[in-house]
């Protein structure tokens, strides 16, 4: 009991992890928060919490002084809706946020592979009854008649594709799109940011840009040289586009080893965020700060979750 009472008044900062501000019809990974709900989140945060930018958090951590109910907002991946749907609300509520960009997806005409996979299998479209896929010389087969079948195939293929090299994964995605007879071009509301949009997003006084690797890989399974190319490469590309320093990083899939942390430090970043659900306290390692994913919650549900994050 005593521990709990002490915990509730500890100085803590909760870092929230968003991906998209978008009204989705199918969202298996809960990446989308509707614009209405996002506005409600910001209104509540402005009223009852101290919202900090990530750079303010870096400074406060360095000084060993954190507020009692601090919150930092972040977005991962770099969807175009961060400009069109999130930026206007961040400005309306004067709330800072950092957007982490997968630099290799800037200007991409195709969707992030996880969205493309969702579109081919979970979209309510008539599909052939069977799916056969050859992945790196292995043949896989799934029935896809019922929606349960489709869900199962989706989850299995997600797991198979996640560790693949981009070139191998693109090959499988092309096979899948051909099999499903879908347009390989992205749905207009599933696009990553284009260069011009990224520049426009960064121009907002309430938005900072951070790096999120080049190709969104599982960094922990890669060689040191390849991790460096992903981590330092994303920083270089973003700095070249924006003409200003990019010194914050978020680990794709929250996946890292201690070697990854050293590479992030060596690449000149000041802070790096994982996806471990833990609040930031004085003395926290700035290269392993935890975050909490946010779902498409209304005001009350958001408030409840937020309270539970602070007690974590
Ligand atoms: Zn990501």
């Amino acid at each position: 009991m005593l521990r709990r009472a002490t915990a509730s008044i500890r100085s803590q900062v909760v870092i929230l992890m968003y991906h998209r501000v978008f009204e989705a019809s199918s969202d298996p990974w809960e990446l989308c928060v509707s614009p209405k709900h996002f506005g409600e989140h910001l209104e509540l945060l402005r009223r009852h919490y101290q919202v900090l930018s990530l750079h303010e958090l870096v400074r406060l951590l360095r000084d060993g002084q954190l507020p009692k109910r601090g919150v930092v907002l972040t977005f991962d991946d770099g969807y175009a809706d961060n400009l069109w749907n999130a930026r206007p609300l961040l400005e309306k509520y004067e709330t800072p946020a950092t957007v982490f960009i997968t630099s290799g997806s800037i200007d991409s005409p195709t969707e992030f592979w996880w969205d493309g996979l969702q579109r081919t299998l979970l979209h309510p479209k008539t599909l052939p009854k069977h799916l056969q896929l050859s992945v790196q010389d292995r043949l896989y087969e799934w029935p896809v008649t019922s929606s349960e079948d489709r869900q199962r195939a989706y989850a299995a293929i997600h797991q198979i594709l996640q560790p693949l090299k981009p070139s191998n994964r693109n090959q499988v995605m092309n096979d899948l799109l051909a099999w499903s007879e879908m347009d390989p071009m992205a749905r207009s509301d599933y696009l990553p940011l284009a260069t011009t949009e990224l520049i426009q997003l960064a121009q907002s006084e309430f938005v900072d840009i951070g790096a999120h690797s080049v190709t969104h890989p599982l960094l922990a399974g890669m060689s040191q040289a390849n991790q460096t190319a992903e981590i330092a490469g994303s920083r270089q590309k973003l700095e070249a586009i924006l003409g200003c320093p990019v010194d914050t990083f978020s680990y794709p899939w929250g996946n890292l080893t201690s070697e990854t942390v050293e590479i992030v430090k060596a690449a000149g970043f000041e802070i790096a965020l994982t996806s471990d659900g833990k609040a930031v306290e004085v003395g926290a390692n700035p290269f392993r700060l935890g975050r909490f994913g946010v779902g498409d919650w209304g005001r009350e549900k958001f408030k409840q979750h937020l309270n539970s994050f602070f007690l974590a």
Side-chain angles (χ1 to χ4, degrees), residues 78-93:
Y79 284 93
D81 60 56
N82 292 184
L83 170 68
W84 303 114
N85 299 343
R87 178 183 156 165
L89 289 165
L90 293 169
E91 291 184 337
K92 179 178 172 190
Y93 292 99

Side-chain angles (χ1 to χ4, degrees), residues 216-228:
H216 207 279
L218 290 164
L219 288 167
M222 300 175 82
S223 69
Q224 192 181 350
N226 287 340
Q227 288 191 61
T228 303

Side-chain angles (χ1 to χ4, degrees), residues 17 19 76-78 100 102 114 212 216 250-254 291:
M17 173 173 59
H19 291 82
D76 273 13
D77 298 342
F100 294 102
T102 310
W114 51 86
H212 193 45
H216 207 279
S250 84
Y251 301 98
W253 310 108
R291 285 189 294 176

